[in-house]
Amino acid sequence: MNGDSLGEDMLKDVEPKVHCRVMDLVRNAGVNIDDWVNFRKGPKPTHAASNPKYCYEWAFVEEGKVVVFNLWYDSMRVNGDTLIQSINPRKFGEDVGKVRSATWARRATRMDLAMQLAFRKKLPIRVIVCQGDMRSAEDPDAEPSHVYKRLLDPEPWAISAYDFSTGDCIITRGAEPDRYSDQFDEPMGSAQPEQRDANGKVYVRDAGVRALVLKRAGGKCEFCGVPGFVKYDGRTYLETHHIVPLSESGADKVGNVIALCPNHHREAHFSNKRAVLRAELQQIVARSSGG
Ligand SMILES: [Zn+2]
Ligand SMILES: [Zn+2]
């Protein structure tokens, strides 16, 4: 079957060929490794790469930027036209904690927390693909895992599903986390002028429509072209605006929603020229959906 060979090719793409140091790969993935030289008993710069505080970790976090995971090559699966890894470090930690060292359990917990963070903040994932002997979680006499070869996959991954109640997680190669964000992603964003009408009626917005509009805008105000600012979580901020308000029965559709910088969003609502502005915004959206 064609599909099988395609799958084999995808796996070959990420097969590690050489043994690289974790520290180097983690740094190449964009994580600050300055603290690796700091051992408990004073700095030993020459041994930074073997600092036990870091070199056995399964997850590395650079706040707001990237999360790096060590994943086993043998656990990668082909799913359609991409690679995924289905993983549950929380469960692994519970299993391994019962029979073996608490260190592994803590490591697994930290990996689970890193997944939650990456999922919530939509951070890109970089994957260090490991090949070697995986240790068994159930067997108390199992040898520790040995990694013989490692590779930093140049392709970014993303968490495509995470179940907060169970810890089940699916990491997908090539999936992109959302790069854009609007006022409704923030708790304080609920005080927007078009959220309620005069009678207190709440309008529900389609999150998918907002995401499509933000993607169409590509991080720039669709009215003035000025880039939105970069948020604390690395995403680019613009505000989504219904050109014909929901309260006037405007459609919650891509053709009636525009991404604006905060300034132009306020203008669209409160300017003395808002009627003219509304017509202009309609033309802009019509043009961009027309091709
Ligand atoms: Zn603008
Ligand atoms: Zn608005």
Side-chain angles (χ1 to χ4, degrees):
M1 279 284 288
N2 227 357
D4 289 347
S5 65
L6 181 72
E8 278 167 30
D9 286 351
M10 275 192 289
L11 278 168
K12 246 182 221 131
D13 256 11
V14 297
E15 187 180 351
K17 306 283 193 304
V18 286
H19 192 145
C20 302
R21 298 191 309 181
V22 181
M23 183 176 79
D24 299 330
L25 299 182
V26 167
R27 178 183 46 213
N28 291 348
V31 174
N32 186 320
I33 55 152
D34 288 354
D35 193 50
W36 286 52
V37 298
N38 297 321
F39 277 63
R40 213 174 299 157
K41 289 172 188 159
K44 293 177 192 165
T46 49
H47 298 118
S50 55
N51 186 337
K53 187 179 167 196
Y54 295 108
C55 74
Y56 304 116
E57 281 297 302
W58 302 333
F60 304 89
V61 175
E62 186 67 27
E63 269 315 315
K65 290 218 175 78
V66 69
V67 173
V68 181
F69 291 122
N70 281 310
L71 298 179
W72 288 107
Y73 177 72
D74 290 337
S75 303
M76 306 263 168
R77 282 197 290 120
V78 176
N79 182 39
D81 58 358
T82 189
L83 286 180
I84 63 164
Q85 179 139 177
S86 183
I87 189 169
N88 191 329
R90 192 192 300 176
K91 184 167 183 311
F92 179 87
E94 284 163 8
D95 294 346
V96 84
K98 278 176 212 147
V99 288
R100 289 183 72 102
S101 100
T103 311
W104 272 313
R106 279 197 296 272
R107 227 168 261 159
T109 301
R110 283 195 291 270
M111 187 176 199
D112 182 45
L113 290 174
M115 281 170 175
Q116 291 180 23
L117 180 83
F119 184 64
R120 276 211 202 96
K121 305 280 185 188
K122 300 182 175 16
L123 295 177
I125 307 286
R126 296 296 301 276
V127 169
I128 295 174
V129 188
C130 304
Q131 207 169 26
D133 303 323
M134 269 189 280
R135 64 172 313 285
S136 153
E138 291 83 19
D139 178 6
D141 301 319
E143 292 291 312
S145 298
H146 276 294
V147 175
Y148 302 120
K149 291 172 186 167
R150 287 189 193 91
L151 156 146
L152 176 66
D153 186 6
E155 185 94 12
W157 294 53
I159 293 185
S160 41
Y162 183 85
D163 186 328
F164 280 90
S165 58
T166 61
D168 280 332
C169 181
I170 295 172
I171 311 179
T172 303
R173 187 180 195 228
E176 252 190 58
D178 292 347
R179 284 153 57 202
Y180 307 116
S181 167
D182 70 4
Q183 70 272 34
F184 301 108
D185 283 340
E186 294 294 323
M188 61 177 285
S190 56
Q192 285 304 305
E194 58 193 5
Q195 182 84 358
R196 290 161 186 274
D197 69 9
N199 304 315
K201 187 180 170 203
V202 178
Y203 295 97
V204 181
R205 283 164 192 78
D206 186 335
V209 169
R210 287 165 43 215
L212 282 172
V213 169
L214 291 171
K215 205 171 168 194
R216 182 184 70 200
K220 291 177 183 166
C221 173
E222 290 185 283
F223 182 71
C224 68
V226 166
F229 63 83
V230 179
K231 279 175 65 183
Y232 60 88
D233 60 8
R235 289 188 287 169
T236 300
Y237 181 89
L238 286 172
E239 298 187 353
T240 48
H241 167 69
H242 285 78
I243 301 170
V244 179
L246 295 172
S247 57
E248 291 174 30
S249 306
D252 191 22
K253 294 269 155 59
V254 172
N256 185 43
V257 181
I258 190 164
L260 297 173
C261 64
N263 218 28
H264 281 123
H265 189 197
R266 296 298 147 141
E267 263 195 76
H269 280 271
F270 307 125
S271 162
N272 58 355
K273 286 179 277 195
R274 61 189 173 183
V276 182
L277 210 48
R278 185 189 284 199
E280 279 183 53
L281 298 183
Q282 269 164 335
Q283 277 172 16
I284 290 168
V285 168
R287 268 203 301 274
S288 53
S289 25

